[in-house]
Amino acid sequence: EADIYQTPRYLVIGTGKKITLECSQTMGHDKMYWYQQDPGMELHLIHYSYGVNSTEKGDLSSESTVSRIRTEHFPLTLESARPSHTSQYLCASRGTGGTEAFFGQGTRLTVV
Amino acid sequence: AQSVTQLDSQVPVFEEAPVELRCNYSSSVSVYLFWYVQYPNQGLQLLLKYLSGSTLVESINGFEAEFNKSQTSFHLRKPSVHISDTAEYFCAVSDRGGSYIPTFGRGTSLIVHP
């Protein structure tokens, strides 16, 4: 069973606030990903990492930033939340030599 | 670059009926193919995958998918669905070398009616 955790599961926050969505995995996977999911749309890749100190932007333009200081931890930060950031955010990881990604349960973010 | 097209956004079906969820992909390189399932308020879980070898792959709960290279398709089928199969199903591809970044389709909502 995959061990990848996202906190919080649900978050309602006011416009302009800074927030950090947490993602941790205990599988020692080197590759980690953040996707944004909206109803009826593809999962959009917003950030990914190949390992410690490696971060890249994905296909979807995002105002968020990420860091990868430890293998197991890949937090996503929004410096100033806006209503357009309202979405579900999914974190995933994949190990070297592995083929499929393992997903956390997601964080549903609402910015009011 | 790869892309995935799931032709049906929603598939309603009655319990015990067969179902097919369609997936087509495009890629300039060889790919791995996946189906994931997402239950309400959950993340995605791997349902089955095609890596190589037999083009027909099966899951433990009765789903199967067939890789068709000439049609660039990876349709998901189940001969008899249950209420508990109601969920969102995502088709995905990732390249066999290089980035290994999965690309997902829009998802198909399978709704099983009693």
Side-chain angles (χ1 to χ4, degrees), chain A:
Chain A
E1 188 167 323
D3 295 306
I4 179 166
Y5 307 101
Q6 291 185 243
T7 57
R9 290 290 313 279
Y10 303 93
L11 179 62
V12 180
I13 199 164
T15 298
K17 298 291 186 183
K18 177 180 179 179
I19 57 171
T20 296
L21 309 184
E22 302 288 348
C23 177
S24 295
Q25 49 96 3
T26 59
M27 298 171 284
H29 286 172
D30 53 346
K31 301 173 186 63
M32 296 190 74
Y33 315 91
W34 276 103
Y35 289 88
Q36 186 172 331
Q37 181 184 24
D38 295 302
M41 304 292 291
E42 298 94 340
L43 273 66
H44 288 291
L45 180 70
I46 50 177
H47 295 282
Y48 60 99
S49 167
Y50 288 141
V52 171
N53 294 325
S54 152
T55 61
E56 302 286 345
K57 286 184 181 286
D59 302 328
L60 182 67
S61 175
S62 172
E63 295 161 340
S64 58
T65 59
V66 292
S67 63
R68 190 87 183 276
I69 298 172
R70 304 198 315 266
T71 297
E72 63 271 22
H73 196 212
F74 191 42
L76 181 145
T77 297
L78 281 166
E79 292 292 333
S80 180
R82 296 210 303 258
S84 60
H85 295 137
T86 294
S87 187
Q88 168 138 282
Y89 293 84
L90 294 173
C91 180
S93 71
R94 177 176 176 175
T96 300
T99 54
E100 70 265 27
F102 294 88
F103 282 81
Q105 292 192 310
T107 294
R108 186 166 296 280
L109 173 66
T110 302
V111 184
V112 298

Side-chain angles (χ1 to χ4, degrees), chain B residues 42-87:
Chain B
Q42 299 291 320
L44 277 67
Q45 305 170 32
L46 181 70
L47 186 61
L48 46 74
K49 62 184 177 183
Y50 171 77
L51 305 180
S52 64
S54 173
T55 56
L56 185 66
V57 291
E58 298 176 352
S59 72
I60 59 173
N61 57 353
F63 282 94
E64 64 180 29
E66 185 159 21
F67 169 54
N68 187 318
K69 187 174 182 179
S70 62
Q71 297 185 7
T72 60
S73 68
F74 191 54
H75 300 332
L76 182 69
R77 302 183 184 95
K78 190 170 185 181
S80 176
V81 295
H82 302 287
I83 295 287
S84 59
D85 292 325
T86 295

